[in-house]
Short mmCIF file of all heavy atoms in Angstrom, two decimals:
data_model
loop_
_atom_site.label_atom_id
_atom_site.label_comp_id
_atom_site.label_asym_id
_atom_site.label_seq_id
_atom_site.Cartn_x
_atom_site.Cartn_y
_atom_site.Cartn_z
N MET A 1 69.43 99.27 118.57
CA MET A 1 70.38 100.35 118.81
C MET A 1 71.75 99.91 118.32
O MET A 1 72.25 98.85 118.68
CB MET A 1 70.41 100.63 120.30
CG MET A 1 71.26 101.81 120.65
SD MET A 1 70.88 102.35 122.31
CE MET A 1 72.50 102.35 123.00
N ASN A 2 72.37 100.71 117.50
CA ASN A 2 73.68 100.39 116.94
C ASN A 2 74.80 100.94 117.81
O ASN A 2 74.69 102.03 118.37
CB ASN A 2 73.82 100.98 115.53
CG ASN A 2 72.93 100.27 114.56
OD1 ASN A 2 72.56 99.14 114.78
ND2 ASN A 2 72.58 100.96 113.49
N PHE A 3 75.85 100.17 117.88
CA PHE A 3 77.04 100.62 118.59
C PHE A 3 77.77 101.61 117.71
O PHE A 3 78.01 101.32 116.52
CB PHE A 3 77.92 99.40 118.92
CG PHE A 3 79.01 99.69 119.90
CD1 PHE A 3 78.73 100.07 121.19
CD2 PHE A 3 80.33 99.58 119.52
CE1 PHE A 3 79.73 100.34 122.09
CE2 PHE A 3 81.35 99.83 120.41
CZ PHE A 3 81.04 100.22 121.71
N PRO A 4 78.14 102.79 118.20
CA PRO A 4 78.71 103.83 117.32
C PRO A 4 80.11 103.52 116.78
O PRO A 4 80.53 104.13 115.82
CB PRO A 4 78.75 105.07 118.21
CG PRO A 4 78.74 104.57 119.60
CD PRO A 4 77.98 103.26 119.57
N LEU A 5 80.81 102.57 117.37
CA LEU A 5 82.14 102.22 116.89
C LEU A 5 82.11 100.85 116.24
O LEU A 5 81.51 99.91 116.75
CB LEU A 5 83.15 102.18 118.05
CG LEU A 5 83.45 103.50 118.74
CD1 LEU A 5 84.36 103.26 119.92
CD2 LEU A 5 84.08 104.48 117.78
N SER A 6 82.79 100.74 115.13
CA SER A 6 82.90 99.45 114.48
C SER A 6 84.10 98.69 115.05
O SER A 6 84.90 99.24 115.81
CB SER A 6 83.05 99.61 112.97
OG SER A 6 84.30 100.19 112.67
N PHE A 7 84.21 97.44 114.66
CA PHE A 7 85.32 96.62 115.11
C PHE A 7 86.64 97.20 114.61
O PHE A 7 87.66 97.16 115.29
CB PHE A 7 85.13 95.19 114.63
CG PHE A 7 86.00 94.20 115.32
CD1 PHE A 7 85.80 93.88 116.65
CD2 PHE A 7 87.03 93.58 114.64
CE1 PHE A 7 86.60 92.97 117.29
CE2 PHE A 7 87.84 92.67 115.27
CZ PHE A 7 87.62 92.36 116.60
N TRP A 8 86.64 97.75 113.39
CA TRP A 8 87.82 98.38 112.81
C TRP A 8 88.25 99.59 113.64
O TRP A 8 89.44 99.80 113.89
CB TRP A 8 87.52 98.79 111.37
CG TRP A 8 88.59 99.62 110.77
CD1 TRP A 8 88.55 100.97 110.55
CD2 TRP A 8 89.88 99.19 110.31
NE1 TRP A 8 89.72 101.39 110.00
CE2 TRP A 8 90.55 100.33 109.84
CE3 TRP A 8 90.52 97.96 110.28
CZ2 TRP A 8 91.84 100.26 109.32
CZ3 TRP A 8 91.79 97.91 109.76
CH2 TRP A 8 92.43 99.03 109.29
N ASP A 9 87.29 100.40 114.10
CA ASP A 9 87.61 101.57 114.92
C ASP A 9 88.24 101.17 116.25
O ASP A 9 89.20 101.80 116.70
CB ASP A 9 86.34 102.40 115.18
CG ASP A 9 85.75 103.00 113.94
OD1 ASP A 9 86.53 103.27 112.99
OD2 ASP A 9 84.53 103.21 113.91
N ILE A 10 87.70 100.15 116.87
CA ILE A 10 88.26 99.69 118.15
C ILE A 10 89.67 99.14 117.95
O ILE A 10 90.57 99.41 118.75
CB ILE A 10 87.33 98.63 118.78
CG1 ILE A 10 86.01 99.29 119.17
CG2 ILE A 10 87.98 97.98 119.99
CD1 ILE A 10 84.94 98.33 119.60
N SER A 11 89.88 98.41 116.88
CA SER A 11 91.21 97.87 116.58
C SER A 11 92.22 98.99 116.34
O SER A 11 93.35 98.94 116.84
CB SER A 11 91.13 96.94 115.38
OG SER A 11 92.39 96.40 115.09
N LEU A 12 91.82 99.99 115.59
CA LEU A 12 92.69 101.13 115.33
C LEU A 12 93.00 101.89 116.62
O LEU A 12 94.15 102.28 116.86
CB LEU A 12 92.06 102.05 114.30
CG LEU A 12 92.85 103.27 113.89
CD1 LEU A 12 94.15 102.85 113.20
CD2 LEU A 12 92.03 104.16 112.98
N TRP A 13 91.99 102.09 117.45
CA TRP A 13 92.20 102.79 118.72
C TRP A 13 93.17 102.00 119.62
O TRP A 13 94.06 102.59 120.24
CB TRP A 13 90.86 102.98 119.42
CG TRP A 13 90.99 103.56 120.79
CD1 TRP A 13 91.30 104.84 121.12
CD2 TRP A 13 90.85 102.85 122.02
NE1 TRP A 13 91.35 104.97 122.48
CE2 TRP A 13 91.08 103.78 123.05
CE3 TRP A 13 90.54 101.54 122.33
CZ2 TRP A 13 91.00 103.40 124.39
CZ3 TRP A 13 90.48 101.18 123.66
CH2 TRP A 13 90.71 102.11 124.67
N LEU A 14 93.01 100.68 119.67
CA LEU A 14 93.92 99.87 120.47
C LEU A 14 95.34 99.93 119.93
O LEU A 14 96.31 99.96 120.71
CB LEU A 14 93.43 98.41 120.50
CG LEU A 14 92.25 98.12 121.41
CD1 LEU A 14 91.75 96.71 121.18
CD2 LEU A 14 92.62 98.33 122.86
N ALA A 15 95.50 99.96 118.61
CA ALA A 15 96.84 100.02 118.02
C ALA A 15 97.53 101.33 118.38
O ALA A 15 98.70 101.33 118.79
CB ALA A 15 96.75 99.87 116.51
N VAL A 16 96.83 102.43 118.23
CA VAL A 16 97.42 103.74 118.54
C VAL A 16 97.74 103.84 120.02
O VAL A 16 98.83 104.31 120.41
CB VAL A 16 96.47 104.87 118.09
CG1 VAL A 16 96.93 106.22 118.60
CG2 VAL A 16 96.34 104.88 116.58
N THR A 17 96.84 103.39 120.87
CA THR A 17 97.07 103.43 122.31
C THR A 17 98.25 102.55 122.71
O THR A 17 99.08 102.95 123.54
CB THR A 17 95.81 102.99 123.06
OG1 THR A 17 94.71 103.80 122.65
CG2 THR A 17 95.98 103.11 124.56
N ALA A 18 98.36 101.38 122.11
CA ALA A 18 99.47 100.48 122.42
C ALA A 18 100.80 101.11 122.03
O ALA A 18 101.78 101.03 122.78
CB ALA A 18 99.29 99.15 121.71
N ILE A 19 100.85 101.74 120.86
CA ILE A 19 102.09 102.38 120.42
C ILE A 19 102.48 103.51 121.36
O ILE A 19 103.64 103.62 121.77
CB ILE A 19 101.95 102.89 118.97
CG1 ILE A 19 101.88 101.70 118.01
CG2 ILE A 19 103.10 103.82 118.60
CD1 ILE A 19 101.50 102.08 116.60
N ILE A 20 101.52 104.34 121.74
CA ILE A 20 101.81 105.45 122.64
C ILE A 20 102.29 104.94 123.99
O ILE A 20 103.28 105.44 124.55
CB ILE A 20 100.56 106.34 122.81
CG1 ILE A 20 100.29 107.09 121.51
CG2 ILE A 20 100.74 107.32 123.96
CD1 ILE A 20 98.96 107.83 121.48
N LEU A 21 101.63 103.93 124.54
CA LEU A 21 102.03 103.40 125.84
C LEU A 21 103.40 102.72 125.79
O LEU A 21 104.20 102.87 126.72
CB LEU A 21 100.98 102.42 126.37
CG LEU A 21 99.68 103.05 126.86
CD1 LEU A 21 98.66 101.97 127.18
CD2 LEU A 21 99.94 103.92 128.08
N LEU A 22 103.67 101.97 124.73
CA LEU A 22 104.97 101.31 124.63
C LEU A 22 106.10 102.32 124.47
O LEU A 22 107.17 102.17 125.07
CB LEU A 22 104.96 100.32 123.47
CG LEU A 22 104.18 99.04 123.71
CD1 LEU A 22 104.03 98.25 122.42
CD2 LEU A 22 104.84 98.21 124.78
N VAL A 23 105.89 103.36 123.68
CA VAL A 23 106.91 104.40 123.52
C VAL A 23 107.12 105.12 124.85
O VAL A 23 108.26 105.38 125.25
CB VAL A 23 106.52 105.38 122.40
CG1 VAL A 23 107.38 106.61 122.41
CG2 VAL A 23 106.61 104.69 121.05
N THR A 24 106.04 105.44 125.53
CA THR A 24 106.16 106.12 126.83
C THR A 24 106.89 105.25 127.85
O THR A 24 107.74 105.74 128.59
CB THR A 24 104.77 106.48 127.36
OG1 THR A 24 104.10 107.28 126.39
CG2 THR A 24 104.87 107.27 128.65
N SER A 25 106.57 103.97 127.87
CA SER A 25 107.24 103.10 128.85
C SER A 25 108.73 102.97 128.55
O SER A 25 109.53 102.79 129.47
CB SER A 25 106.58 101.72 128.87
OG SER A 25 106.85 101.01 127.68
N GLU A 26 109.11 103.05 127.29
CA GLU A 26 110.53 103.01 126.96
C GLU A 26 111.22 104.33 127.27
O GLU A 26 112.38 104.34 127.70
CB GLU A 26 110.73 102.66 125.49
CG GLU A 26 110.45 101.21 125.18
CD GLU A 26 111.34 100.26 125.96
OE1 GLU A 26 112.56 100.53 126.08
OE2 GLU A 26 110.82 99.26 126.48
N LEU A 27 110.53 105.44 127.09
CA LEU A 27 111.15 106.74 127.35
C LEU A 27 111.34 107.01 128.83
O LEU A 27 112.22 107.78 129.21
CB LEU A 27 110.34 107.86 126.72
CG LEU A 27 110.40 107.94 125.19
CD1 LEU A 27 109.49 109.05 124.69
CD2 LEU A 27 111.82 108.15 124.71
N VAL A 28 110.53 106.41 129.68
CA VAL A 28 110.69 106.62 131.12
C VAL A 28 111.58 105.56 131.76
O VAL A 28 111.71 105.51 132.97
CB VAL A 28 109.33 106.68 131.86
CG1 VAL A 28 108.49 107.81 131.36
CG2 VAL A 28 108.60 105.37 131.79
N SER A 29 112.19 104.74 130.94
CA SER A 29 113.09 103.72 131.49
C SER A 29 114.36 104.38 132.03
O SER A 29 114.72 105.48 131.62
CB SER A 29 113.44 102.69 130.42
OG SER A 29 114.25 103.28 129.44
N PRO A 30 115.05 103.73 132.95
CA PRO A 30 116.24 104.34 133.54
C PRO A 30 117.39 104.52 132.56
O PRO A 30 118.33 105.25 132.85
CB PRO A 30 116.62 103.37 134.66
CG PRO A 30 115.91 102.11 134.38
CD PRO A 30 114.71 102.45 133.56
N TYR A 31 117.33 103.92 131.39
CA TYR A 31 118.39 104.06 130.41
C TYR A 31 118.44 105.47 129.82
O TYR A 31 119.44 105.89 129.29
CB TYR A 31 118.23 103.04 129.28
CG TYR A 31 118.27 101.62 129.79
CD1 TYR A 31 117.13 100.83 129.75
CD2 TYR A 31 119.43 101.08 130.33
CE1 TYR A 31 117.15 99.53 130.22
CE2 TYR A 31 119.46 99.79 130.81
CZ TYR A 31 118.32 99.03 130.75
OH TYR A 31 118.34 97.74 131.23
N TYR A 32 117.33 106.19 129.89
CA TYR A 32 117.28 107.55 129.36
C TYR A 32 117.40 108.61 130.44
O TYR A 32 117.26 109.79 130.17
CB TYR A 32 115.98 107.76 128.58
CG TYR A 32 115.91 106.92 127.33
CD1 TYR A 32 115.11 105.80 127.27
CD2 TYR A 32 116.67 107.25 126.22
CE1 TYR A 32 115.07 105.02 126.13
CE2 TYR A 32 116.63 106.48 125.08
CZ TYR A 32 115.83 105.37 125.03
OH TYR A 32 115.78 104.60 123.91
N GLY A 33 117.59 108.21 131.68
CA GLY A 33 117.81 109.15 132.76
C GLY A 33 116.56 109.74 133.36
O GLY A 33 116.62 110.66 134.16
N LYS A 34 115.41 109.26 132.99
CA LYS A 34 114.15 109.78 133.53
C LYS A 34 113.72 108.93 134.74
O LYS A 34 112.73 108.24 134.71
CB LYS A 34 113.04 109.75 132.48
CG LYS A 34 113.39 110.44 131.20
CD LYS A 34 113.29 111.93 131.35
CE LYS A 34 113.41 112.57 129.98
NZ LYS A 34 114.15 113.76 129.96
N THR A 35 114.49 108.98 135.80
CA THR A 35 114.22 108.12 136.94
C THR A 35 113.42 108.82 138.03
O THR A 35 112.99 108.19 138.98
CB THR A 35 115.53 107.62 137.56
OG1 THR A 35 116.32 108.74 137.92
CG2 THR A 35 116.27 106.74 136.58
N ASN A 36 113.17 110.12 137.92
CA ASN A 36 112.49 110.84 138.99
C ASN A 36 111.03 111.15 138.65
O ASN A 36 110.44 112.05 139.22
CB ASN A 36 113.23 112.13 139.33
CG ASN A 36 113.38 113.03 138.13
OD1 ASN A 36 113.01 112.67 137.02
ND2 ASN A 36 113.93 114.22 138.35
N LEU A 37 110.43 110.42 137.73
CA LEU A 37 109.04 110.63 137.37
C LEU A 37 108.13 109.92 138.36
O LEU A 37 108.47 108.88 138.91
CB LEU A 37 108.76 110.11 135.96
CG LEU A 37 109.47 110.84 134.84
CD1 LEU A 37 109.21 110.15 133.52
CD2 LEU A 37 109.02 112.28 134.76
N ALA A 38 106.94 110.50 138.57
CA ALA A 38 105.99 109.93 139.51
C ALA A 38 105.05 108.95 138.82
O ALA A 38 103.86 108.90 139.09
CB ALA A 38 105.19 111.05 140.17
N ILE A 39 105.59 108.14 137.91
CA ILE A 39 104.81 107.15 137.19
C ILE A 39 105.30 105.77 137.62
O ILE A 39 106.50 105.53 137.69
CB ILE A 39 105.00 107.31 135.66
CG1 ILE A 39 104.45 108.65 135.20
CG2 ILE A 39 104.31 106.19 134.91
CD1 ILE A 39 104.72 108.92 133.74
N ASN A 40 104.35 104.91 137.91
CA ASN A 40 104.71 103.53 138.24
C ASN A 40 105.10 102.83 136.94
O ASN A 40 104.24 102.48 136.12
CB ASN A 40 103.52 102.84 138.91
CG ASN A 40 103.88 101.49 139.46
OD1 ASN A 40 104.94 100.95 139.14
ND2 ASN A 40 103.00 100.94 140.28
N LYS A 41 106.38 102.64 136.75
CA LYS A 41 106.89 102.12 135.48
C LYS A 41 106.43 100.70 135.20
O LYS A 41 106.13 100.34 134.06
CB LYS A 41 108.40 102.21 135.46
CG LYS A 41 108.92 103.63 135.50
CD LYS A 41 110.43 103.65 135.65
CE LYS A 41 110.94 105.04 135.83
NZ LYS A 41 110.79 105.55 137.19
N LYS A 42 106.35 99.89 136.23
CA LYS A 42 105.93 98.50 136.05
C LYS A 42 104.46 98.44 135.62
O LYS A 42 104.10 97.67 134.71
CB LYS A 42 106.13 97.72 137.35
CG LYS A 42 105.85 96.25 137.23
CD LYS A 42 106.19 95.53 138.51
CE LYS A 42 105.94 94.04 138.35
NZ LYS A 42 106.24 93.30 139.57
N ARG A 43 103.63 99.25 136.23
CA ARG A 43 102.21 99.29 135.85
C ARG A 43 102.03 99.83 134.45
O ARG A 43 101.19 99.34 133.69
CB ARG A 43 101.42 100.13 136.85
CG ARG A 43 99.93 100.13 136.54
CD ARG A 43 99.16 100.90 137.55
NE ARG A 43 99.12 100.14 138.79
CZ ARG A 43 98.60 100.61 139.91
NH1 ARG A 43 98.09 101.81 139.96
NH2 ARG A 43 98.59 99.86 140.99
N LEU A 44 102.82 100.83 134.07
CA LEU A 44 102.75 101.39 132.72
C LEU A 44 103.14 100.34 131.69
O LEU A 44 102.46 100.17 130.67
CB LEU A 44 103.66 102.61 132.60
CG LEU A 44 103.72 103.28 131.24
CD1 LEU A 44 102.37 103.87 130.87
CD2 LEU A 44 104.79 104.36 131.23
N ARG A 45 104.20 99.60 131.94
CA ARG A 45 104.63 98.56 131.00
C ARG A 45 103.60 97.43 130.92
O ARG A 45 103.29 96.95 129.82
CB ARG A 45 105.97 97.99 131.41
CG ARG A 45 106.45 96.91 130.45
CD ARG A 45 107.86 96.55 130.68
NE ARG A 45 108.73 97.68 130.41
CZ ARG A 45 109.44 97.82 129.29
NH1 ARG A 45 109.38 96.90 128.37
NH2 ARG A 45 110.20 98.87 129.12
N ASN A 46 103.04 97.03 132.06
CA ASN A 46 102.02 95.97 132.04
C ASN A 46 100.77 96.41 131.29
O ASN A 46 100.17 95.63 130.55
CB ASN A 46 101.66 95.54 133.46
CG ASN A 46 102.77 94.75 134.11
OD1 ASN A 46 103.63 94.21 133.44
ND2 ASN A 46 102.75 94.69 135.43
N THR A 47 100.37 97.67 131.46
CA THR A 47 99.23 98.20 130.72
C THR A 47 99.52 98.24 129.23
O THR A 47 98.66 97.89 128.42
CB THR A 47 98.87 99.61 131.23
OG1 THR A 47 98.64 99.55 132.64
CG2 THR A 47 97.64 100.15 130.54
N ALA A 48 100.71 98.66 128.86
CA ALA A 48 101.09 98.71 127.45
C ALA A 48 101.06 97.32 126.84
O ALA A 48 100.57 97.13 125.72
CB ALA A 48 102.48 99.33 127.31
N LEU A 49 101.56 96.33 127.55
CA LEU A 49 101.54 94.96 127.04
C LEU A 49 100.12 94.41 126.94
O LEU A 49 99.79 93.71 125.99
CB LEU A 49 102.41 94.06 127.91
CG LEU A 49 103.92 94.34 127.82
CD1 LEU A 49 104.68 93.48 128.81
CD2 LEU A 49 104.42 94.13 126.41
N ALA A 50 99.27 94.75 127.91
CA ALA A 50 97.89 94.28 127.88
C ALA A 50 97.14 94.87 126.68
O ALA A 50 96.41 94.16 125.98
CB ALA A 50 97.18 94.64 129.18
N VAL A 51 97.33 96.15 126.42
CA VAL A 51 96.67 96.79 125.28
C VAL A 51 97.22 96.21 123.98
O VAL A 51 96.47 96.00 123.02
CB VAL A 51 96.82 98.32 125.35
CG1 VAL A 51 96.31 98.98 124.09
CG2 VAL A 51 96.10 98.89 126.56
N SER A 52 98.49 95.93 123.94
CA SER A 52 99.09 95.32 122.74
C SER A 52 98.51 93.93 122.48
O SER A 52 98.21 93.58 121.33
CB SER A 52 100.60 95.21 122.89
OG SER A 52 101.17 96.47 123.07
N ILE A 53 98.33 93.16 123.53
CA ILE A 53 97.74 91.83 123.38
C ILE A 53 96.29 91.93 122.92
O ILE A 53 95.85 91.16 122.06
CB ILE A 53 97.87 91.04 124.70
CG1 ILE A 53 99.34 90.69 124.94
CG2 ILE A 53 97.00 89.80 124.71
CD1 ILE A 53 99.64 90.12 126.30
N LEU A 54 95.54 92.91 123.45
CA LEU A 54 94.17 93.10 122.99
C LEU A 54 94.13 93.47 121.51
O LEU A 54 93.26 92.99 120.77
CB LEU A 54 93.48 94.19 123.82
CG LEU A 54 93.08 93.82 125.23
CD1 LEU A 54 92.57 95.05 125.98
CD2 LEU A 54 92.02 92.74 125.21
N PHE A 55 95.07 94.30 121.08
CA PHE A 55 95.13 94.64 119.66
C PHE A 55 95.42 93.41 118.81
O PHE A 55 94.80 93.20 117.77
CB PHE A 55 96.19 95.72 119.41
CG PHE A 55 96.50 95.91 117.96
CD1 PHE A 55 95.57 96.44 117.10
CD2 PHE A 55 97.73 95.53 117.45
CE1 PHE A 55 95.85 96.60 115.75
CE2 PHE A 55 98.03 95.68 116.11
CZ PHE A 55 97.07 96.23 115.26
N LEU A 56 96.37 92.58 119.25
CA LEU A 56 96.68 91.37 118.50
C LEU A 56 95.50 90.40 118.45
O LEU A 56 95.30 89.71 117.45
CB LEU A 56 97.91 90.69 119.10
CG LEU A 56 99.23 91.46 118.91
CD1 LEU A 56 100.35 90.75 119.63
CD2 LEU A 56 99.54 91.63 117.43
N ILE A 57 94.70 90.38 119.51
CA ILE A 57 93.50 89.54 119.50
C ILE A 57 92.51 90.06 118.47
O ILE A 57 91.90 89.26 117.73
CB ILE A 57 92.88 89.48 120.91
CG1 ILE A 57 93.77 88.66 121.84
CG2 ILE A 57 91.46 88.91 120.88
CD1 ILE A 57 93.37 88.72 123.30
N THR A 58 92.33 91.38 118.39
CA THR A 58 91.42 91.93 117.38
C THR A 58 91.92 91.64 115.98
O THR A 58 91.12 91.37 115.07
CB THR A 58 91.21 93.44 117.55
OG1 THR A 58 92.45 94.12 117.42
CG2 THR A 58 90.57 93.76 118.90
N VAL A 59 93.22 91.67 115.78
CA VAL A 59 93.79 91.34 114.47
C VAL A 59 93.53 89.87 114.15
O VAL A 59 93.15 89.52 113.01
CB VAL A 59 95.30 91.67 114.42
CG1 VAL A 59 95.94 91.09 113.18
CG2 VAL A 59 95.51 93.16 114.48
N ALA A 60 93.70 89.00 115.12
CA ALA A 60 93.45 87.57 114.90
C ALA A 60 91.98 87.33 114.57
O ALA A 60 91.66 86.52 113.68
CB ALA A 60 93.85 86.77 116.13
N ILE A 61 91.08 88.01 115.23
CA ILE A 61 89.65 87.86 114.95
C ILE A 61 89.35 88.33 113.53
O ILE A 61 88.59 87.67 112.80
CB ILE A 61 88.81 88.64 115.98
CG1 ILE A 61 88.90 87.95 117.35
CG2 ILE A 61 87.34 88.73 115.55
CD1 ILE A 61 88.29 88.75 118.47
N ARG A 62 89.94 89.43 113.12
CA ARG A 62 89.70 89.92 111.76
C ARG A 62 90.26 88.94 110.72
O ARG A 62 89.65 88.71 109.67
CB ARG A 62 90.32 91.30 111.57
CG ARG A 62 89.50 92.36 112.30
CD ARG A 62 90.03 93.76 112.22
NE ARG A 62 90.70 94.10 111.00
CZ ARG A 62 91.73 94.93 110.94
NH1 ARG A 62 92.20 95.47 112.03
NH2 ARG A 62 92.27 95.21 109.78
N ILE A 63 91.41 88.33 110.99
CA ILE A 63 91.99 87.35 110.06
C ILE A 63 91.10 86.11 109.96
O ILE A 63 90.85 85.60 108.86
CB ILE A 63 93.42 86.98 110.50
CG1 ILE A 63 94.36 88.16 110.26
CG2 ILE A 63 93.92 85.74 109.76
CD1 ILE A 63 95.74 87.96 110.83
N VAL A 64 90.58 85.64 111.09
CA VAL A 64 89.68 84.50 111.07
C VAL A 64 88.42 84.83 110.29
O VAL A 64 87.91 84.00 109.52
CB VAL A 64 89.35 84.05 112.52
CG1 VAL A 64 88.19 83.07 112.55
CG2 VAL A 64 90.57 83.46 113.18
N ASN A 65 87.89 86.05 110.45
CA ASN A 65 86.71 86.45 109.69
C ASN A 65 86.99 86.49 108.20
O ASN A 65 86.13 86.14 107.39
CB ASN A 65 86.20 87.81 110.17
CG ASN A 65 85.44 87.72 111.47
OD1 ASN A 65 84.97 86.65 111.84
ND2 ASN A 65 85.34 88.83 112.16
N ILE A 66 88.16 86.93 107.81
CA ILE A 66 88.52 86.97 106.39
C ILE A 66 88.64 85.57 105.83
O ILE A 66 88.17 85.27 104.73
CB ILE A 66 89.82 87.78 106.18
CG1 ILE A 66 89.58 89.26 106.46
CG2 ILE A 66 90.37 87.59 104.79
CD1 ILE A 66 90.84 90.10 106.49
N ILE A 67 89.27 84.69 106.59
CA ILE A 67 89.48 83.31 106.12
C ILE A 67 88.17 82.55 106.01
O ILE A 67 87.93 81.81 105.05
CB ILE A 67 90.48 82.57 107.03
CG1 ILE A 67 91.87 83.18 106.88
CG2 ILE A 67 90.50 81.08 106.74
CD1 ILE A 67 92.88 82.65 107.85
N THR A 68 87.29 82.72 106.99
CA THR A 68 86.05 81.94 107.01
C THR A 68 84.90 82.60 106.27
O THR A 68 83.82 82.02 106.22
CB THR A 68 85.62 81.67 108.47
OG1 THR A 68 85.39 82.92 109.13
CG2 THR A 68 86.67 80.87 109.19
N ALA A 69 85.09 83.77 105.72
CA ALA A 69 84.02 84.45 104.98
C ALA A 69 83.71 83.70 103.69
O ALA A 69 84.64 83.25 103.00
CB ALA A 69 84.40 85.88 104.69
N PRO A 70 82.44 83.56 103.37
CA PRO A 70 82.10 82.84 102.13
C PRO A 70 82.39 83.63 100.88
O PRO A 70 82.49 84.76 100.79
CB PRO A 70 80.59 82.61 102.27
CG PRO A 70 80.11 83.53 103.30
CD PRO A 70 81.28 83.94 104.11
#
């Protein structure tokens, strides 16, 4: 049974999700006056950073595969 998503698809999905979460976490910061939102800002920022780190890990894996490919 084949997995319907390739490694490239997962990496792309993580990149788009990380960008959306990081932009959202910056827009809800108190510097823009959006202080009355019912979003846990700390959890949103931590999630954005975690997804960004996962994306960077997928990029590192792809670079290692390129370097070690015969």
